[in-house]
Amino acid sequence: MSTLKKWFVRPIAAFNVIVVLLMVITGYSGYVNPVNHPLWAVSGLAFPLFMVLNASFLIVWLLLHRRYLLIPLLGFIVCLFPVRTYIPINFHQDTPEGAIKVVSFNVHLFEGWKFRYKQMNPTVKYLKTCDADIVCLQEAGLNEVRNEKLDQKMAVVYPYHERISYRGNALAIYSKWPILATERIKYTSAGNLSTASRVLVQGDTVLVVNNHLETYGLSYQDKDDVGEILIGKGKVRDTTFLSKMENASRLRAPQADTVAAYIRRSGLKSVIVCGDFNDHPLSYAHHTIGRGLTDCYETAGCGPGFSYDRNRMYVRIDHIFCSKDWRCYDCYVDRKVQLSDHYPIICTLKKRTNR
């Protein structure tokens, strides 16, 4: 047995230790500013890989040598918070009376038109069926909106709306509650943007922040290559895609800083933040904007909640946060909706009575 330990068990244990260290490094990468350490920040995308590898070691040690179970168990204890953030497990709660529903959806220029031309846009039909209280849209193309008179069609359910465009990109908010004001949160970007709306909800002014943060800028070929690599069938044809991801992380970091600072300066205690962050749940952008807020999916969602899965790139990059005066009863990604390259994320909120 001593020879087996020396030549077989111990090297496996050493590899398990390395996996645990990498899980910790990637799991807490959101605390590292991408401006200074872009590669470390991007490494957070690999966290689920190391999480799965570490879980597999639990089975290995159960079969091989139970004393070494301590290694993967310690790994999960140290990474309890990133594991909980990345893949939360929550039980369903009934929605109480007086709750509101919030939808965030990157509609990708309402691309559903490509499939049902001259009919009611399927994205609009879906949003009307959702019967939400507040809808925040990203990539809400102006030409499509004007040509099809979407505002008039949506007004049947959502009588209040605002839209702000910037360099060809547009964000929109539709609401059953009065929108008092909307403005762009100014930061440097070639075309991405964030907006802030003051919405009068149940007698309180709520700051609703809608985001479409810096994209990774990957080409279709880049995404195809990454997808093939992830399933072990491809090879890297162009190494620049990693540089593109690092550069996007550098640009996204000050955008997240600006949005977080805007929320603090607003002076409003009631806040809902949502949108396409173009970044995963363990990222700097998620950590920075969500500081002091509640991640609705982590609190009330279940499973990984992938909101983007094109080219086998499975990740949750769409998020909803709320301030502590709200309680989240339900949050999920509606993966039945095949209308965009994203899936909508939906949550149900109610004001706390003990505020």
Side-chain angles (χ1 to χ4, degrees):
M1 185 64 180
S2 60
T3 303
L4 180 63
K5 286 183 180 180
K6 181 178 180 180
W7 297 105
F8 187 63
V9 174
R10 289 179 181 174
I12 295 178
F15 182 57
N16 193 176
V17 170
I18 293 173
V19 168
V20 167
L21 290 174
L22 291 173
M23 187 169 71
V24 173
I25 290 172
T26 56
Y28 290 97
S29 59
Y31 292 87
V32 178
N33 194 319
V35 173
N36 303 317
H37 304 283
L39 183 59
W40 190 351
V42 171
S43 73
L45 289 166
F47 175 77
L49 170 63
F50 299 120
M51 182 173 61
V52 171
L53 284 175
N54 194 50
S56 68
F57 276 110
L58 290 172
I59 300 174
V60 170
W61 297 129
L62 277 173
L63 298 175
L64 195 62
H65 204 304
R66 295 188 178 183
R67 190 197 313 181
Y68 287 93
L69 275 171
L70 187 62
I71 299 173
L73 286 175
L74 282 175
F76 280 117
I77 291 172
V78 173
C79 290
L80 180 62
F81 292 111
V83 169
R84 165 70 177 166
T85 299
Y86 197 91
I87 184 167
I89 298 176
N90 297 288
F91 298 102
H92 176 74
Q93 302 179 71
D94 292 333
T95 302
E97 185 178 351
I100 69 168
K101 181 188 287 188
V102 178
V103 175
S104 177
F105 191 10
N106 183 324
V107 295
H108 200 209
L109 303 178
F110 298 93
E111 70 173 19
W113 260 312
K114 294 188 297 186
F115 311 109
R116 298 177 179 87
Y117 184 64
K118 291 186 178 179
Q119 298 180 23
M120 176 182 284
N121 182 272
T123 302
V124 176
K125 185 176 180 180
Y126 168 76
L127 293 172
K128 292 174 69 174
T129 304
C130 279
D131 194 25
D133 291 88
I134 297 174
V135 175
C136 290
L137 304 181
Q138 303 87 44
E139 292 195 61
L142 289 177
N143 290 332
E144 291 80 0
V145 169
R146 290 167 180 164
N147 292 342
E148 297 297 324
K149 300 180 180 179
L150 286 188
D151 291 341
Q152 293 91 321
K153 294 176 182 178
M154 291 282 281
V156 175
V157 180
Y158 309 104
Y160 306 97
H161 70 269
E162 293 285 350
R163 182 178 293 97
I164 290 182
S165 62
Y166 176 68
R167 295 182 177 179
N169 196 358
L171 301 185
I173 177 173
Y174 291 88
S175 174
K176 290 183 179 179
W177 302 92
I179 300 173
L180 305 178
T182 298
E183 64 177 341
R184 181 169 73 90
I185 301 175
K186 295 182 180 180
Y187 51 64
T188 301
S189 177
N192 291 80
L193 72 159
S194 297
T195 62
S197 301
R198 285 165 169 76
V199 184
L200 190 62
V201 180
Q202 298 173 341
D204 288 342
T205 300
V206 180
L207 180 69
V208 179
V209 178
N210 189 9
N211 298 282
H212 186 200
L213 302 182
E214 198 70 31
T215 62
Y216 278 114
L218 299 180
S219 66
Y220 288 113
Q221 185 62 63
D222 292 332
K223 294 178 181 179
D224 286 339
D225 287 346
V226 172
E228 292 298 310
I229 292 169
L230 289 174
I231 61 172
K233 293 185 178 180
K235 61 181 180 179
V236 178
R237 302 179 191 178
D238 183 2
T239 58
T240 61
F241 76 82
L242 183 57
S243 298
K244 292 178 182 178
M245 295 175 75
E246 291 180 358
N247 185 57
S249 294
R250 288 193 191 96
L251 295 173
R252 205 157 39 237
Q255 294 173 3
D257 291 335
T258 301
V259 171
Y262 182 97
I263 294 171
R264 290 194 301 269
R265 289 197 310 268
S266 71
L268 293 175
K269 295 182 179 180
S270 193
V271 179
I272 297 173
V273 182
C274 63
D276 174 8
F277 284 39
N278 273 305
D279 228 335
H280 55 93
L282 305 179
S283 64
Y284 178 85
H286 181 281
H287 172 70
T288 300
I289 294 176
R291 189 181 293 119
L293 302 174
T294 298
D295 180 340
C296 294
Y297 191 85
E298 180 181 347
T299 302
C302 191
F306 299 131
S307 64
Y308 183 94
D309 64 3
R310 293 287 176 94
N311 308 88
R312 303 183 184 90
M313 298 175 66
Y314 296 93
V315 66
R316 185 168 81 249
I317 57 178
D318 299 88
H319 309 285
I320 299 179
F321 297 90
C322 64
S323 50
K324 304 301 182 183
D325 58 325
W326 293 98
R327 178 178 174 183
C328 188
Y329 285 86
D330 189 25
C331 190
Y332 63 98
V333 174
D334 192 349
R335 292 180 54 82
K336 297 178 182 179
V337 181
Q338 301 285 340
L339 298 174
S340 171
D341 57 347
H342 289 247
Y343 299 98
I345 182 170
I346 302 171
C347 76
T348 304
L349 305 170
K350 185 180 180 182
K351 282 281 189 175
R352 296 182 184 273
T353 57
N354 57 343
R355 52 195 176 98

